[in-house]
Amino acid sequence: MRRTKAEAEETRNSILRAAERVFFEKGVSNASLDDVAKAAGVTRGAIYWHFSNKTDLFLELYNSVPMPQEDMIAREIEESGSDVLFYIERTAGDWLEEMAADEHRQRILTILLRCPYGEDLLPVLERQQEVDDRHVALLENAFTKARSEGYLNANWTAQSATKALWWMMGGLCSEWLLFGRRFDLAVEGREGLKRLFGSFRQVPSAAETLVVS
Amino acid sequence: MRRTKAEAEETRNSILRAAERVFFEKGVSNASLDDVAKAAGVTRGAIYWHFSNKTDLFLELYNSVPMPQEDMIAREIEESGSDVLFYIERTAGDWLEEMAADEHRQRILTILLRCPYGEDLLPVLERQQEVDDRHVALLENAFTKARSEGYLNANWTAQSATKALWWMMGGLCSEWLLFGRRFDLAVEGREGLKRLFGSFRQVPSAAETLVVS
DNA sequence: AATTATACAAACAGATACGTATGTTAAAAC
DNA sequence: GTTTTAACATACGTATCTGTTTGTATAATT
């Protein structure tokens, strides 16, 4: 029964959403296209009409997730006049909060973390690495600005601060996503960020003044 | 052709080592028992003789990896008289170095990170969580001792320091293992540890006292 | 020395899962 | 109004993987 173009696009989207759930629950390589089809309320025929195979479906699923606009973030960093560190901390905390609230993102990221990047979906891995590299570069720029404006503790370089933050965020999210969300991501995350950025800011002389006074 | 008991144990071990390589390369659920058998130079008959199925093989592989003796670490923490923080930093750095040198551990950990913990190998996940929880508890004890002895900066609590270190180590290793070892784990790791522990130690008043005395 | 149990290999049967080929219906195109 | 074609469903053939069964040579047992 031929559907209208809008309806077809609807089924395509429902297949993508079903693939997201099924891939998340059973793992990409463990899920069959029939699982996805049943979850979407269609048959494998519909999947093979809209996508060429499972790898293609996975790639399209990966492409369907909207990327955060890095340009905007970069511009905001430029414009964040006073305390750059405060802005970075707030952005990181907000990102955690969005992650905790958005099951869509959680599933996509979990799938990406767990997926066995063997040969066929290697382009996904490479693209993911590009995105990560750009994010790290953005962070390092921000921390460099913070250092040049005297906000960064002498103990930290822009690079080491970037990596410390990046790895902490990564470890935090990995544990939360891969090991069953056993804590409140936003609360624990913001607490950790507070401490880490406290140590970024803590310039000894000022601290001494604080303690002495 | 029946082999002697020693030879049988040898083939069992070769199957386990082959499973480690194959699971690492193709992913657990994507690897067939025939792949493992061929990699081990046997047939599936040998595998089904020594193990009951793939899940059992995976569990035995997981059990075959020797656990670091926590008791010893705990005792060393107790005995580390002077600077507990220095000991923790050194232990963490050594752990990274061992990881970088031991391809065996790398593969096992990668498999564990990527494996789709669905239903059947849930006990593995739970045991892994227990191990992690004990490690975190050990760390927190050490940091508590560090705090009570005045080595820990007022900016950090024992808990927040524990989590910061834990997440940073986790993010570091996850990125290194899952995304293709694009940097020197030991060097970058020790650098990051140096900065983080620098901020742990940096306690103005105590440092002042130390310097003055 | 004969028997038995062990350590596998080889063959077999059943279940998926994949890709394709074909069928079907209704929306477009003319 | 007829034809065409898009959007699927259904059916088919095939490869693969699994679990079991059977075969077999040799070490261990008696």
Side-chain angles (χ1 to χ4, degrees), chain A residues 32-47:
Chain A
S32 75
L33 288 184
D34 201 57
D35 293 331
V36 177
K38 275 172 186 164
V42 294
T43 68
R44 275 172 43 250
I47 296 184

PDB file of all heavy atoms in Angstrom, chain A residues 32-47:
ATOM      1  N   SER A  32      19.034  -7.676  15.453  1.00  0.00           N
ATOM      2  CA  SER A  32      18.736  -8.013  14.065  1.00  0.00           C
ATOM      3  C   SER A  32      17.830  -6.954  13.461  1.00  0.00           C
ATOM      4  O   SER A  32      17.144  -6.216  14.167  1.00  0.00           O
ATOM      5  CB  SER A  32      18.065  -9.375  13.987  1.00  0.00           C
ATOM      6  OG  SER A  32      16.726  -9.284  14.408  1.00  0.00           O
ATOM      7  N   LEU A  33      17.826  -6.894  12.148  1.00  0.00           N
ATOM      8  CA  LEU A  33      16.960  -5.930  11.486  1.00  0.00           C
ATOM      9  C   LEU A  33      15.496  -6.263  11.721  1.00  0.00           C
ATOM     10  O   LEU A  33      14.642  -5.373  11.670  1.00  0.00           O
ATOM     11  CB  LEU A  33      17.269  -5.904   9.980  1.00  0.00           C
ATOM     12  CG  LEU A  33      18.599  -5.249   9.634  1.00  0.00           C
ATOM     13  CD1 LEU A  33      18.778  -5.173   8.137  1.00  0.00           C
ATOM     14  CD2 LEU A  33      18.681  -3.871  10.250  1.00  0.00           C
ATOM     15  N   ASP A  34      15.216  -7.533  11.983  1.00  0.00           N
ATOM     16  CA  ASP A  34      13.840  -7.895  12.289  1.00  0.00           C
ATOM     17  C   ASP A  34      13.421  -7.336  13.646  1.00  0.00           C
ATOM     18  O   ASP A  34      12.271  -6.917  13.820  1.00  0.00           O
ATOM     19  CB  ASP A  34      13.693  -9.418  12.270  1.00  0.00           C
ATOM     20  CG  ASP A  34      12.253  -9.839  12.075  1.00  0.00           C
ATOM     21  OD1 ASP A  34      11.661  -9.426  11.072  1.00  0.00           O
ATOM     22  OD2 ASP A  34      11.730 -10.565  12.954  1.00  0.00           O
ATOM     23  N   ASP A  35      14.338  -7.323  14.590  1.00  0.00           N
ATOM     24  CA  ASP A  35      14.055  -6.676  15.879  1.00  0.00           C
ATOM     25  C   ASP A  35      13.660  -5.224  15.668  1.00  0.00           C
ATOM     26  O   ASP A  35      12.654  -4.743  16.207  1.00  0.00           O
ATOM     27  CB  ASP A  35      15.292  -6.749  16.776  1.00  0.00           C
ATOM     28  CG  ASP A  35      15.613  -8.177  17.203  1.00  0.00           C
ATOM     29  OD1 ASP A  35      14.666  -8.977  17.299  1.00  0.00           O
ATOM     30  OD2 ASP A  35      16.798  -8.478  17.437  1.00  0.00           O
ATOM     31  N   VAL A  36      14.485  -4.528  14.865  1.00  0.00           N
ATOM     32  CA  VAL A  36      14.214  -3.117  14.602  1.00  0.00           C
ATOM     33  C   VAL A  36      12.868  -2.959  13.909  1.00  0.00           C
ATOM     34  O   VAL A  36      12.065  -2.096  14.261  1.00  0.00           O
ATOM     35  CB  VAL A  36      15.340  -2.506  13.753  1.00  0.00           C
ATOM     36  CG1 VAL A  36      15.025  -1.052  13.413  1.00  0.00           C
ATOM     37  CG2 VAL A  36      16.675  -2.601  14.479  1.00  0.00           C
ATOM     38  N   ALA A  37      12.627  -3.820  12.915  1.00  0.00           N
ATOM     39  CA  ALA A  37      11.379  -3.712  12.164  1.00  0.00           C
ATOM     40  C   ALA A  37      10.168  -3.894  13.086  1.00  0.00           C
ATOM     41  O   ALA A  37       9.226  -3.098  13.057  1.00  0.00           O
ATOM     42  CB  ALA A  37      11.356  -4.764  11.056  1.00  0.00           C
ATOM     43  N   LYS A  38      10.230  -4.939  13.923  1.00  0.00           N
ATOM     44  CA  LYS A  38       9.115  -5.170  14.837  1.00  0.00           C
ATOM     45  C   LYS A  38       8.935  -4.007  15.798  1.00  0.00           C
ATOM     46  O   LYS A  38       7.810  -3.600  16.092  1.00  0.00           O
ATOM     47  CB  LYS A  38       9.347  -6.465  15.618  1.00  0.00           C
ATOM     48  CG  LYS A  38       8.886  -7.700  14.860  1.00  0.00           C
ATOM     49  CD  LYS A  38       9.305  -8.965  15.582  1.00  0.00           C
ATOM     50  CE  LYS A  38       8.959 -10.191  14.727  1.00  0.00           C
ATOM     51  NZ  LYS A  38       9.683 -11.408  15.198  1.00  0.00           N
ATOM     52  N   ALA A  39      10.045  -3.464  16.296  1.00  0.00           N
ATOM     53  CA  ALA A  39       9.961  -2.328  17.216  1.00  0.00           C
ATOM     54  C   ALA A  39       9.356  -1.114  16.537  1.00  0.00           C
ATOM     55  O   ALA A  39       8.734  -0.276  17.180  1.00  0.00           O
ATOM     56  CB  ALA A  39      11.342  -1.992  17.764  1.00  0.00           C
ATOM     57  N   ALA A  40       9.548  -1.029  15.227  1.00  0.00           N
ATOM     58  CA  ALA A  40       9.009   0.118  14.494  1.00  0.00           C
ATOM     59  C   ALA A  40       7.614  -0.160  13.946  1.00  0.00           C
ATOM     60  O   ALA A  40       6.986   0.723  13.373  1.00  0.00           O
ATOM     61  CB  ALA A  40       9.950   0.483  13.345  1.00  0.00           C
ATOM     62  N   GLY A  41       7.142  -1.401  14.095  1.00  0.00           N
ATOM     63  CA  GLY A  41       5.818  -1.728  13.588  1.00  0.00           C
ATOM     64  C   GLY A  41       5.771  -1.896  12.086  1.00  0.00           C
ATOM     65  O   GLY A  41       4.733  -1.702  11.460  1.00  0.00           O
ATOM     66  N   VAL A  42       6.917  -2.267  11.498  1.00  0.00           N
ATOM     67  CA  VAL A  42       6.963  -2.508  10.053  1.00  0.00           C
ATOM     68  C   VAL A  42       7.647  -3.850   9.808  1.00  0.00           C
ATOM     69  O   VAL A  42       7.920  -4.602  10.741  1.00  0.00           O
ATOM     70  CB  VAL A  42       7.737  -1.388   9.332  1.00  0.00           C
ATOM     71  CG1 VAL A  42       6.997  -0.078   9.433  1.00  0.00           C
ATOM     72  CG2 VAL A  42       9.149  -1.272   9.874  1.00  0.00           C
ATOM     73  N   THR A  43       7.917  -4.163   8.562  1.00  0.00           N
ATOM     74  CA  THR A  43       8.672  -5.369   8.244  1.00  0.00           C
ATOM     75  C   THR A  43      10.061  -4.975   7.732  1.00  0.00           C
ATOM     76  O   THR A  43      10.344  -3.793   7.520  1.00  0.00           O
ATOM     77  CB  THR A  43       7.964  -6.206   7.175  1.00  0.00           C
ATOM     78  OG1 THR A  43       7.996  -5.484   5.939  1.00  0.00           O
ATOM     79  CG2 THR A  43       6.546  -6.496   7.574  1.00  0.00           C
ATOM     80  N   ARG A  44      10.893  -5.990   7.547  1.00  0.00           N
ATOM     81  CA  ARG A  44      12.239  -5.698   7.062  1.00  0.00           C
ATOM     82  C   ARG A  44      12.206  -5.066   5.680  1.00  0.00           C
ATOM     83  O   ARG A  44      13.135  -4.342   5.301  1.00  0.00           O
ATOM     84  CB  ARG A  44      13.061  -6.984   7.042  1.00  0.00           C
ATOM     85  CG  ARG A  44      13.704  -7.297   8.371  1.00  0.00           C
ATOM     86  CD  ARG A  44      14.362  -8.647   8.417  1.00  0.00           C
ATOM     87  NE  ARG A  44      15.120  -8.982   7.238  1.00  0.00           N
ATOM     88  CZ  ARG A  44      14.790  -9.899   6.337  1.00  0.00           C
ATOM     89  NH1 ARG A  44      13.680 -10.585   6.512  1.00  0.00           N
ATOM     90  NH2 ARG A  44      15.541 -10.140   5.316  1.00  0.00           N
ATOM     91  N   GLY A  45      11.159  -5.307   4.937  1.00  0.00           N
ATOM     92  CA  GLY A  45      11.032  -4.682   3.632  1.00  0.00           C
ATOM     93  C   GLY A  45      11.110  -3.173   3.706  1.00  0.00           C
ATOM     94  O   GLY A  45      11.778  -2.538   2.882  1.00  0.00           O
ATOM     95  N   ALA A  46      10.457  -2.605   4.697  1.00  0.00           N
ATOM     96  CA  ALA A  46      10.488  -1.148   4.852  1.00  0.00           C
ATOM     97  C   ALA A  46      11.906  -0.677   5.141  1.00  0.00           C
ATOM     98  O   ALA A  46      12.381   0.323   4.584  1.00  0.00           O
ATOM     99  CB  ALA A  46       9.548  -0.736   5.984  1.00  0.00           C
ATOM    100  N   ILE A  47      12.616  -1.417   6.000  1.00  0.00           N
ATOM    101  CA  ILE A  47      13.986  -1.018   6.333  1.00  0.00           C
ATOM    102  C   ILE A  47      14.866  -1.065   5.100  1.00  0.00           C
ATOM    103  O   ILE A  47      15.612  -0.122   4.803  1.00  0.00           O
ATOM    104  CB  ILE A  47      14.548  -1.934   7.436  1.00  0.00           C
ATOM    105  CG1 ILE A  47      13.744  -1.761   8.724  1.00  0.00           C
ATOM    106  CG2 ILE A  47      16.018  -1.614   7.679  1.00  0.00           C
ATOM    107  CD1 ILE A  47      14.279  -2.557   9.885  1.00  0.00           C
TER     108      ILE A  47
END
